[in-house]
Amino acid sequence: MTPAPDIVVRASPDRLAELAAGLQRLEQRLAAACAAARREREQVTLIAVTKFFPVGDVLALHELGVRDVGESRDQDAATKAAALRDAGLAQDLRWHFVGRLQTNKAKSVATYADLVHSVDRPQLLDALSGAAERAGRVLDVLLQVSLDTGTGADTERGGSLPADLPALADAAAGLPALRLRGLMALAPPPGALGGGPGPAFARLAELATRLQATHPQADLLSAGMSGDLEAAVAAGATHVRVGTALLGERPPPGG
Ligand SMILES: *Cc1c(COP(=O)(O)O)cnc(C)c1O
């Protein structure tokens, strides 16, 4: 189902100024994090996670130079992508799907996403590849891995067990319409076993190195959010996914 075209309501001048200030603060943090890690700022792609925010905010961020946008719900993402395509920005924005993904949403996501970060099971790989093939696209995917060391895979936040990654990677690489590009993870929730985002992202970096040994093209690492992007940049993240620190507190879902 193609979502109905949407009129893009522009952000107010106050909101544009707020986003500009948020972006400036965030760029300072990223510059400091890159300097501390002896990395170039260009090695880290900033993804603005715009979930629950209006499409006018995406347009405003585009005016401020942001080109990578992340969403976590198919319906919202599809609507925003369609609206901005109608506004003529299709070539100019890259859409990152970062949320938990149900298999029955693969068909829609495969039509607009440029990089799907949250692939964590074989059925989803098959669904995405089939959908991308029918859409005449080749879809870049990351495998999401759970860094929780306690009870195994995190059923709420998603992610494959580290032990299941090699089989999942081989399956992804064997599908015609997918390109396996790397790994994605969320830091374990505060208070979880494993000692905070630093050690968790170090484990992630090790898994990424191991994956690249057999799949050299899987050279992307999506890690780091508003609260822990410094630790992620230190561990080698190529993509950070930032919502709150850029756009402010999220409105309630659907708002
Ligand atoms: C919402 C979300 C983010 C952004 O989180 P913030 O803490 O607001 O920066 C990043 N990654 C994923 C997967 C998300 O769902």
Side-chain angles (χ1 to χ4, degrees):
M1 193 180 65
T2 313
D6 217 1
I7 307 294
V8 178
V9 179
R10 286 184 166 272
S12 69
D14 282 357
R15 179 59 174 156
L16 185 61
E18 203 171 272
L19 290 171
L23 184 60
Q24 193 177 11
R25 279 193 306 270
L26 183 57
E27 281 296 345
Q28 281 165 3
R29 273 180 74 185
L30 280 170
C34 287
R38 296 176 189 279
R39 300 180 63 200
E40 300 295 328
R41 171 66 187 85
E42 293 70 36
Q43 293 176 284
V44 182
T45 299
L46 166 63
I47 301 171
V49 179
T50 52
K51 63 186 182 200
F52 310 158
F53 286 98
V55 68
D57 281 1
V58 183
L59 190 63
L61 287 168
H62 174 267
E63 280 168 24
L64 295 169
V66 172
R67 291 295 177 268
D68 290 84
V69 182
E71 286 281 331
S72 62
R73 290 186 178 193
D74 168 57
Q75 182 128 32
D76 295 345
T79 305
K80 286 176 188 165
L84 291 168
R85 193 170 52 233
D86 292 347
L89 299 183
Q91 300 304 314
D92 226 22
L93 285 170
R94 283 179 295 274
W95 291 91
H96 298 261
F97 193 87
V98 303
R100 297 221 64 188
L101 182 51
Q102 291 170 284
T103 307
N104 63 4
K105 298 289 188 345
K107 185 171 170 235
S108 170
V109 169
T111 62
Y112 60 81
D114 295 294
L115 181 61
V116 179
H117 292 230
S118 46
V119 179
D120 60 0
R121 55 197 192 280
Q123 301 90 310
L124 190 51
L125 284 171
D126 292 336
L128 283 170
S129 181
E133 210 170 359
R134 280 188 293 277
R137 303 184 72 209
V138 175
L139 195 57
D140 285 344
V141 298
L142 304 179
L143 303 179
Q144 183 180 348
V145 56
S146 171
L147 299 176
D148 284 7
T149 52
T151 52
D154 186 327
T155 49
E156 210 172 291
R157 289 141 48 95
S160 120
L161 287 172
D164 294 336
L165 276 182
L168 204 55
D170 290 345
L175 288 167
L178 299 186
R179 246 186 328 240
L180 173 63
R181 293 306 316 275
L183 296 182
M184 179 275 230
L186 286 81
L193 295 173
F201 289 149
R203 289 199 301 280
L204 175 65
E206 205 177 295
L207 292 169
T209 303
R210 237 179 280 164
L211 175 68
Q212 262 196 78
T214 45
H215 299 278
Q217 80 292 356
D219 56 356
L220 304 184
L221 187 57
S222 168
M225 318 197 328
S226 292
D228 54 23
L229 65 90
E230 285 83 1
V233 169
T238 63
H239 289 67
V240 294
R241 312 176 307 267
V242 182
T244 317
L246 176 56
L247 291 117
E249 289 299 322
R250 272 185 281 283

